[in-house]
Amino acid sequence: MYEKDGEKYYIVDAHIALWDARAENQKNIHGKQFIDCFYDYHKNLSPEEVVWDYDTYTYYGEQRLLKDLFEDGYVDHAIFQPAILSDFYRRGFGQTEDALALTRANPGKLTYNHAWDPRHEEAGLEQLRKDADRMGLKGVKLYTAEWNGDSRGYKLDSPWSRRYLEECLKLGIKNIHVHKGPTIRPLDRDAFDVADIDQVATDYTELNFIVEHVGLPRLEDFCWIATQEPNVYGGLAVAMPFIHSRPKYFAQILGELLYWIGEDRILFSSDYAIWTPKWLIEKFVDFQIPPELTEYAPITTAQKKKILGLNAAALYDLDVPQELRLPTEAGNASAEVAAGARS
Amino acid sequence: MIAVAPSLSDRVLAALATVADPELDEPITELGFVRSVRIEDAKVTVHLRLPTSFCSPNFAYLMASDAVDALRRVDGLRGVVVQLDDHHDSDKINAGLAADAGYVGTFGVEAEESLDDLRRIFREKAHTAAMERCAEQLLRTTDVTVDDLHLVTLGDVPEGSHKEALVRRRAGIGLGAAPADPLVVDEAGAALVAAEVPLRLRFAKSVRISMEGNAHFCRGLLATRYGSTA
C-alpha cells in the first residue's frame, strides 16, 4: 500500500522475475547478450541513485526481491512472469522452483505464473496439466520470441498454440500474458506484429490477453487491436520508467492508452528486477499530463488507483481491503473506448 | 571561389547518410549506428553497431545491406566491406554480406521471399507520421479544425521541414505531391471521406508517438551500451 496526500493505493506489481543470469548459468554467448541487454535497459532508464552494480543484477536472490517489493516498494501483491530461455541458460533464466517456493512461503503476496511453449506439442500439453495442478496456475507468461533449437519463435494463432489455449480454458488458466520479442519466423514480416493476438483474442473471449510492455515498439498496432477486443489488456512493463527520463513521452503513451483501451485495462508493473517498484510508484502517483498536451485530459486519482493495482486485482481475484477499493468496480473491461474505432 | 570536389571520405559519409533505420525513419549516421569508417587504397570498411544484441535481425540486415548498396554507388571506391558488430546474428549477417548472398541466402529457412513487404509497412508508417505532423501543425497554428481537414490539400500546407519530410515520405510510397492532392489519406494514399478523417488522424498520432518513442529508446540504449563514444 502506498499513501500520499490522504489517498491510499493498493499496489499490484503485475510483472516481476527471479532470475539467475550469472556466468556459470549462461549456456552460450546469447545468455550473456540477453542479460547485458537487460542491464542496459536498467542503467539507461533508472534514476542514477537506484542503479545496481552488474553482479547484483545478474543474481539478487529471494531476500532482496522481498525487500525491494514488499518492504521498500509498497507492493501488496506481485505476479511472477518468467522467461525460461532454456536455449540461453543451463538452469533457465527465470528460477521456477525458487519462485514457486517463495510464493508458497508468502501466502497472499505472490502469484506464480508459469510458461508453456507450443513447440513442445503433446509432451508440453501433458506438462502443462501437471504444472497447472502443482503450481495452482491462474495465468501464464508466453515469450513468443523464445528460441528453441533452430526455431526463433512461434505465433499465438498456430494450431498447436490454439490447443494450448484450449487447455488453459479447461484448466481455469484465464490470464495469458504475452511478450512479443524480435525474432520470429519468417523474418520477412514485422517481428512485433500483434495480429496473432488479435486472432486468438477474438476466438477465445473467456481468456484475458495481457500484452506486456503495451506492444512497444508497436504501440499503435497494440492500441488498435485492444480497442477492438475487450479481453486485451496492456501491461506497462518497460513503458513505466520513461516517467523519469522522458516524462512527456510517458504522458503521450498514457494518453494514447487511456484513449484507445481505457482506464480499466492498463496494468502497472515494474518488470522487476529490470527496474524497482518504489520510485516508479512514487513518481506515478505524483505524475500529471503536462498542460501543453492539450489533447489529453488530466489523469485522475481514481485512474491511478485502477492502474496501480485494482485492475490487476480484478483479473486475479485478489482480495483488496475495503478501504483501498473505489466506490465503483475497477476492471470494467467492456467500458466504451475510442468512440468509432470499434468495428 | 573555387569549387572543391567532395573528397572520397565525404562521399562515403554522404552515401551512408542515405541509409535509414526503417523503423525509426532516421539516417543511421544521425542515430550513431556507424561505428567506424576506414578507407585504404580506395577500399572502404564500415562497422555498424546497434542499441542491443537483440535488435530485430531483419532490420539489422536491411540497414547493413542498404549500406553496402549505397557505398557501391560511390564513384572511385574499389572495394566495400560492411560489418555488423555485437549482434546475435552478426556472424550470419556478415557472412551473407561478404558472400553477396542476398536476404534469402543469408537467412535460409528463416526467410520466405524478400523484405519488400516489410519495407513497405514501415514506409507507410513513416508517411503516416509525417502526415500527422503537418496536420497537427495546421490545427495548432491556423483556424483549420479536424472537421475541415478532409478539404485541406498539400497546397494549403505551409512550406517548411514538416512539408519537405511529408513530400519525401509520399514519394517513398509512390505518391506525388501536387498542390491539389489531399493531405490526409489512408495507408495506401487514397483520399478519405470527411467522416473517416478524425479517426485516421487519431491513429496517425499514435503511429507518430510510437516511432518517436522508439527513437528515444534506441538512442538512449546505444549511448548506455557504448558509453561516451555513442
Side-chain angles (χ1 to χ4, degrees):
Chain A
M1 195 266 286
Y2 181 61
E3 186 168 3
K4 180 87 188 267
D5 300 331
E7 295 286 350
K8 292 178 176 176
Y9 300 81
Y10 181 78
I11 310 286
V12 179
D13 193 336
H15 194 306
I16 66 156
L18 180 63
W19 68 57
D20 182 354
R22 286 175 290 191
E24 65 266 27
N25 192 26
Q26 293 168 10
K27 208 180 222 179
N28 48 39
I29 179 74
H30 303 309
K32 166 90 173 126
Q33 287 171 334
F34 193 85
I35 190 64
D36 285 357
C37 179
F38 269 26
Y39 190 57
D40 285 349
Y41 277 39
H42 168 72
K43 267 198 303 186
N44 180 239
L45 293 176
S46 296
E48 210 174 324
E49 62 275 15
V50 297
V51 171
W52 294 8
D53 66 84
Y54 182 79
D55 285 345
T56 305
Y57 197 77
T58 59
Y59 183 74
Y60 41 92
E62 293 93 332
Q63 294 315 309
R64 172 87 194 229
L65 180 149
L66 292 175
K67 183 173 190 304
D68 285 335
L69 297 180
F70 303 112
E71 279 179 49
D72 298 342
Y74 316 117
V75 175
D76 293 285
H77 194 96
I79 304 169
F80 282 110
Q81 309 286 3
I84 308 294
L85 304 179
S86 23
D87 270 36
F88 294 176
Y89 295 95
R90 295 176 204 284
R91 299 182 305 278
F93 180 67
Q95 299 302 296
T96 300
E97 296 308 321
D98 293 346
L100 195 59
L102 200 64
T103 302
R104 289 179 179 144
N106 292 274
K109 288 195 148 181
L110 288 160
T111 293
Y112 182 74
N113 283 356
H114 198 50
W116 47 252
D117 186 328
R119 291 165 299 187
H120 297 148
E121 301 187 348
E122 201 65 64
L125 269 181
E126 184 53 35
Q127 189 62 46
L128 172 62
R129 290 180 204 110
K130 286 183 194 158
D131 290 342
D133 181 46
R134 181 170 79 96
M135 300 173 178
L137 298 179
K138 284 188 196 170
V140 285
K141 162 74 184 297
L142 308 178
Y143 182 43
T144 60
E146 177 143 4
W147 293 17
N148 182 15
D150 291 336
S151 162
R152 294 205 265 168
Y154 60 90
K155 293 280 183 194
L156 216 55
D157 58 353
S158 71
W160 272 106
S161 289
R162 287 173 176 276
R163 288 193 54 187
Y164 279 68
L165 290 171
E166 280 152 22
E167 197 65 34
C168 282
L169 268 175
K170 283 186 213 154
L171 295 167
I173 301 172
K174 60 174 189 169
N175 296 317
I176 314 294
H177 295 252
V178 189
H179 171 146
K180 282 273 169 185
T183 56
I184 290 195
R185 252 192 92 186
L187 289 174
D188 318 12
R189 312 272 165 76
D190 178 11
F192 291 92
D193 183 8
V194 286
D196 55 338
I197 296 175
D198 196 4
Q199 273 298 326
V200 293
T202 304
D203 295 344
Y204 303 98
T205 53
E206 288 163 62
L207 298 175
N208 305 311
F209 293 88
I210 302 98
V211 179
E212 295 302 342
H213 49 78
V214 291
L216 292 172
R218 306 278 176 271
L219 178 70
E220 75 279 28
D221 294 334
F222 162 71
C223 284
W224 185 255
I225 68 149
T227 291
Q228 315 292 327
E229 312 294 341
N231 54 335
V232 171
Y233 293 71
L236 283 175
V238 180
M240 269 321 292
F242 286 108
I243 200 170
H244 165 65
S245 55
R246 300 267 179 188
K248 186 176 165 193
Y249 173 56
F250 179 76
Q252 290 176 313
I253 293 184
L254 201 62
E256 291 300 305
L257 291 172
L258 287 169
Y259 173 78
W260 290 103
I261 75 172
E263 64 195 48
D264 292 287
R265 291 195 275 146
I266 306 172
L267 310 184
F268 165 77
S269 57
S270 66
D271 221 336
Y272 184 83
I274 304 185
W275 297 283
T276 42
K278 180 175 190 284
W279 66 273
L280 292 170
I281 294 161
E282 289 168 353
K283 281 181 189 283
F284 186 70
V285 166
D286 290 344
F287 184 76
Q288 194 45 270
I289 305 276
E292 70 266 25
L293 295 179
T294 50
E295 60 270 51
Y296 305 121
I299 177 168
T300 66
T301 301
Q303 287 173 327
K304 289 178 183 174
K305 288 183 178 181
K306 287 181 173 185
I307 293 168
L308 280 173
L310 299 180
N311 290 339
L315 282 182
Y316 280 86
D317 303 317
L318 302 176
D319 188 17
V320 181
Q322 195 63 42
E323 56 158 3
L324 300 180
R325 295 184 192 185
L326 285 170
T328 55
E329 286 295 298
N332 177 17
S334 55
E336 173 73 21
V337 287
R342 256 184 210 176
S343 52
Chain B
M1 234 172 96
I2 302 165
V4 180
S7 68
L8 185 58
S9 66
D10 286 347
R11 282 180 285 139
V12 162
L13 289 177
L16 289 172
T18 65
V19 179
D21 179 320
E23 184 176 21
L24 309 180
D25 192 32
E26 292 185 38
I28 58 171
T29 43
E30 285 176 29
L31 289 163
F33 292 177
V34 178
R35 184 180 218 169
S36 66
V37 177
R38 205 182 69 224
I39 304 173
E40 269 174 44
D41 297 336
K43 292 178 185 165
V44 66
T45 303
V46 173
H47 282 262
L48 301 180
R49 62 185 184 184
L50 293 172
T52 80
S53 301
F54 288 92
C55 289
S56 279
N58 44 14
F59 288 127
Y61 175 81
L62 266 179
M63 286 183 271
S65 64
D66 283 359
V68 171
D69 291 345
L71 291 169
R72 282 184 180 157
R73 288 192 290 268
V74 175
D75 284 336
L77 275 181
R78 292 194 296 122
V80 171
V81 173
V82 172
Q83 295 226 300
L84 175 65
D85 296 347
D86 307 334
H87 189 269
H88 73 70
D89 267 348
S90 281
D91 292 348
K92 198 177 256 190
I93 289 172
N94 291 338
L97 292 174
D100 242 335
Y103 163 67
V104 174
T106 298
F107 287 105
V109 294
E110 290 178 275
E112 285 188 344
E113 291 172 35
S114 75
L115 293 172
D116 293 349
D117 288 349
L118 185 72
R119 217 189 264 278
R120 170 86 194 181
I121 289 171
F122 285 89
R123 283 185 180 160
E124 285 173 2
K125 284 182 193 280
H127 163 257
T128 298
M131 178 186 84
E132 193 271 348
R133 285 189 192 99
C134 287
E136 194 62 31
Q137 188 183 26
L138 281 173
L139 294 176
R140 280 177 189 268
T141 59
T142 70
D143 294 337
V144 172
T145 70
V146 174
D147 296 329
D148 308 324
L149 268 181
H150 64 288
L151 300 171
V152 171
T153 65
L154 294 183
D156 300 324
V157 178
E159 299 302 320
S161 59
H162 285 336
K163 185 170 183 179
E164 283 167 28
L166 176 66
V167 170
R168 275 202 308 279
R169 304 301 178 262
R170 284 177 66 95
I173 57 169
L175 296 180
D181 288 343
L183 167 64
V184 181
V185 292
D186 71 11
E187 262 136 20
L192 298 167
V193 300
E196 293 170 330
V197 168
L199 189 60
R200 171 67 176 144
L201 192 66
R202 206 64 197 61
F203 183 71
K205 184 188 185 69
S206 67
V207 171
R208 194 252 302 161
I209 288 171
S210 193
M211 288 181 78
E212 288 175 358
N214 294 339
H216 291 320
F217 200 34
C218 293
R219 283 175 193 278
L221 283 174
L222 190 83
T224 298
R225 187 179 195 196
Y226 289 108
S228 56
T229 60

